[in-house]
Structures are given as structure tokens and as C-alpha cells.
Amino acid sequence: GINAEYGEVFLGFRVVILRMSPGSFTPLWPIMLNELYGQLVELRGLLKRQSDSLNSRTLSMYLSITKLLDQALIIPPSMIPDFQVHTWVFVCDRPAELQSDQTFLSLSREIADEFDRGLEDDSWVRVAHAPFLKAPTISNVRELQPFYCALSRFWLVWYTR
């Protein structure tokens, strides 16, 4: 199905940003950013409809999309400047305590809000520059909640342990 193909496309994007020199995939960034944004908007809509029952292919696609975002956030900005210009769309640009006056909310914040921000544990902090998501599969979309809730609080971007 289409979801399995999307999952493979996002896996391919991850391979491209890890294996190719930055200049060689510059023409792909508009496509990658558009697809990443579009699919995250769909995830937000799915959560708004409170639809937790998804098939394994759809779950795999959302995990792959989230892993691409996770990977893009840990690569040095000099390696992927085209993504860094658009990071604000995906990630909060300031710590949670300074976000109350924001008129624009990043997608991670909107997705976390749809998850009800029920995760207040601050142990969800990125370790060094390692990917946050390590699970090969998920069985429920709620398994992505720690990532988006931590990202919405600015924790996965700047803080390390």
C-alpha cells in the first residue's frame, strides 16, 4: 500500500542524508521537507480524530517519518543547511517555559498537544548526538509520544546528558 511506500521513501531520505555529501542532495530538500511536513500534518490530524487503531504499515510509515526528523536534528547544521533553515517549522525554538507567548506553534508542539502532553518526565533527553528513536517497529502511534512531547519542550534539541 501507499503507506508502506511512504515508509520506504522516508527510509531512503535518511540514507541519503547520512551517506551523501551535503551538496549532492540539495535538490532533494524541497521534496523531503514538503513530504515530511505533509505527513506530520496528517499525523496531527489523525491524533485530533483520536484514531489510535492503525495498521502496521501506517505505524511503520509514521515511525519512519519520525526517525527522519530525529536524524535530521542530530546532524550538524553545516551538513544539512537546507533543513536548518526550516527547523522552526518542526521544532520549538525556545524552552517550554518561554513558549506561552508564541503565536506560531511548531508541528512537534501541535502533535504533542494532540497527545495531551501527558508525559511530564524530563528523562526523555537526547544522549549526546544519538538518535532518540531506536525501536525498529511500533505497535501503537502513542509510542511516538515521548519523542514529540520532549521535542515540543525543546529538550531533544539543545540539552544532552
Side-chain angles (χ1 to χ4, degrees):
I2 191 81
N3 292 334
E5 292 168 4
Y6 262 114
E8 295 300 318
V9 167
F10 285 103
L11 174 62
F13 285 159
R14 285 178 41 220
V15 171
V16 165
I17 64 174
L18 288 173
R19 300 284 185 210
M20 295 178 73
S21 63
S24 61
F25 60 86
T26 297
L28 292 175
W29 273 112
I31 297 166
M32 285 193 272
L33 290 169
N34 185 52
E35 292 301 321
L36 183 60
Y37 178 81
Q39 293 302 317
L40 289 174
V41 167
E42 282 193 30
L43 174 60
R44 181 190 63 199
L46 178 92
L47 293 170
K48 277 186 181 185
R49 293 188 304 276
Q50 298 179 351
S51 178
D52 282 353
S53 59
L54 301 173
N55 64 44
S56 62
R57 290 181 182 199
T58 302
L59 289 169
S60 178
M61 177 189 70
Y62 285 124
L63 178 61
S64 188
I65 291 163
T66 304
K67 283 185 172 188
L68 173 63
L69 179 58
D70 189 21
Q71 189 69 52
L73 291 170
I74 63 171
I75 294 176
S78 61
M79 296 289 294
I80 53 171
D82 296 301
F83 175 77
Q84 295 304 318
V85 170
H86 301 281
T87 302
W88 59 273
V89 171
F90 304 104
V91 182
C92 296
D93 64 352
R94 61 186 91 165
E97 60 272 7
L98 301 176
Q99 293 178 22
S100 62
D101 63 339
Q102 276 185 254
T103 55
F104 173 81
L105 297 178
S106 69
L107 273 172
S108 63
R109 173 75 182 269
E110 291 179 5
I111 290 169
D113 287 348
E114 294 306 325
F115 273 129
D116 299 324
R117 299 177 134 256
L119 195 65
E120 297 297 330
D121 181 5
D122 70 350
S123 66
W124 297 100
V125 178
R126 185 180 301 284
V127 176
H129 293 285
F132 181 80
L133 296 165
K134 294 180 176 86
T137 62
I138 57 173
S139 58
N140 187 303
V141 72
R142 298 248 172 227
E143 291 176 50
L144 300 175
Q145 182 177 8
F147 175 78
Y148 286 105
C149 289
L151 196 61
S152 75
R153 291 181 179 82
F154 200 60
W155 290 344
L156 293 182
V157 179
W158 300 108
Y159 302 141
T160 59
R161 282 200 175 153

